[in-house]
Amino acid sequence: PESVLSRCELVLLEDGTVVRLDDDIREEMNNEIFKLSSNALRCIGLAFNPSLSSLPGDLSLLSDYDGSEDHPGHAVLKTPGIEVEVESNLIFVGVAGMRDPPRAQVRGAIQECRTAGVRVIVITGDNQGTAEAICTQIGLFEKDDDLSSLSFVGHEFAAMSRKKQIKYLLDAKESGSGMVFSRAEPKFKQNIVNMLKGDELNEITAMTGDGVNDAPALAAADIGIAMGISGTEVAQEASDMVLADDNFATIVNAIEEGRAIYNNMKAFIRYMISSNVGEVVSIFITAFLGLPDGLISVQLLWVNLVTDGPPATALGFNPPDNDIMDKPPRSSTEALISRWTFIRYIVVGLYVGVATVGIFVMWYSPTVFGLEGTDFLGVEFGGDGHPLLTYAQLSGYKQCGEPGWNVEGGFTDTTSFKYETAAADSYVEGVGCDYFDGANGRKKASTLSLSVLVTIEMLNALNALSEDNSLLVMRPWINPYLIAAMFVSFALHFMILHVDWMAELFSIVPLDYNEWLLVLLWSFPVILIDEVLKAWGRRMNAQELAARLKQD
């Protein structure tokens, strides 16, 4: 309206008279415009040119122009310089104030942006007073805020030096405050986006808009977001995303969804790497200590291809963390696997390997763990007739058959040993050195080792529900797909244990209740270990955030 007012020489009064528009009336009208704008009304100045019919030539056709393309005056509008003729000596009629209230969800979305470390900058063609009032309504500013360094008219900001412009933008960034630019032109919007992306500020920018004049800024932004309902085709073509509902709150939801997708991708990687590291560690420990192989190739293939698959897939359906929008944005240069993340992979993977080998060793040599060999959790080691060995005998199994080695640990001239068993379906009588070399002699130990590996990986899938939040906060049942996937994986494991031909194929035997308790005893610590690592990670994140705030 102030632009219309500046082109007027006369003003129409309430009684129908026309008088000259002097300075007092101009000041009164500007005050009225400011008052309306401060109430968040979009103002339109109204004026007319009574002398159009007396303009020379075809310009007189505009006197009754109704805006239709069929009107003879329509073509006249293309005449160069016509705006100078038409928009001179106007008679000011008044100001119309229109209210376009923001959606109810916007204020909450602005608050979510603030807690998530996302700054909101409003760039609008509205009057400065209108823009400030609307920004106050939506919670970008508070009523008592000093807006002298946060609110600028576009042409005034553009007239500043670049150094000063960067200073204002940088000060607002460091304080975490929003900004508003009013009466902005298309080029100005594009320049603001480019400054935010520049080396001085290094921001990731998302620009929203709906009009043709927004297209340059939408194209320049890292993420251009156009309106799907009110947006022009030009704006939509220039954008990377189109909002189907034209709702600012949807952008905030998209930020949350994007963070959740990224976290789920990391959860999948964390689960698969830590589990596979565990398998590699178990094989490495076995080879390094000279122990018999606890897991054979077909068992490892089954775990990797079948048992791990359902939980890994289900992790893609993890809901967002409870505090996902309370964390600052990650840097665009942040590595997918940080140093701390890598350490967690190794620690968890080491335990997986140790537990898998540990229960295998316990079956043969319970004395290694300070046990007498019988009645631990109801498991009688050696109660089924299999010989209990010392650790030296177990780790020296490759010398079986050489002169001077026997199962009792004494040195004799025996070249092999045999044992009798009460469990004929589990052990073959008279296997000799096949007690170590073949699958028949170690079916039970191998079954325990495989069961620990499967159980640990199921529990490790629960650990992957959240990178930092405890299972006491992110309860397992928040992802029902993961619970179902774990059920499927356990069902597949029980199938190969109890279907005779499959058990024979995988060289395993069924376990009784007490042996399953032993499996759980070795498996459950992976939960406790990851809980400690999560707690330490939360502490480091809190210290990092506190240091950043102190620096700001």
Side-chain angles (χ1 to χ4, degrees), residues 248-269:
F248 177 79
T250 302
I251 301 175
V252 182
N253 294 337
I255 294 173
E256 181 178 356
E257 185 69 20
R259 291 184 177 188
I261 291 172
Y262 185 77
N263 285 349
N264 289 351
M265 181 171 63
K266 291 177 69 176
F268 174 86
I269 295 172

Side-chain angles (χ1 to χ4, degrees), residues 96-115:
M98 299 180 296
R99 186 176 299 279
D100 183 12
R103 299 193 185 199
Q105 309 96 318
V106 174
R107 188 177 184 91
I110 293 290
Q111 182 59 41
E112 281 193 74
C113 285
R114 183 175 285 111
T115 56

Side-chain angles (χ1 to χ4, degrees), residues 441-489:
R442 59 171 184 265
K443 277 188 177 181
K444 179 71 68 151
S446 184
T447 303
L448 290 169
S449 189
L450 177 63
S451 297
V452 164
L453 179 60
V454 170
T455 305
I456 280 186
E457 295 198 1
M458 294 305 102
L459 297 178
N460 200 27
L462 296 179
N463 289 334
L465 275 170
S466 174
E467 184 173 10
D468 295 317
N469 286 321
S470 167
L471 280 175
L472 298 176
V473 176
M474 297 286 287
R475 304 296 176 87
W477 49 84
I478 65 171
N479 185 351
Y481 299 101
L482 181 59
I483 301 299
M486 292 172 61
F487 177 82
V488 169
S489 294

Side-chain angles (χ1 to χ4, degrees), residues 19 28 72 84 115 170 174 182 202 235 248 304 315 348 470-471 535:
V19 300
E28 184 179 351
V84 177
T115 56
L170 192 58
E174 291 177 349
S182 51
N202 196 28
F248 177 79
N304 277 317
L315 288 173
V348 173
S470 167
L471 280 175

Side-chain angles (χ1 to χ4, degrees), residues 1 4-5 11-12 29 33 36 44-47 91-97:
V4 175
L5 190 62
V11 59
L12 181 66
M29 293 307 304
I33 292 170
L36 294 172
I44 294 181
L46 305 175
I91 297 177
F92 191 74
V93 175
V95 179

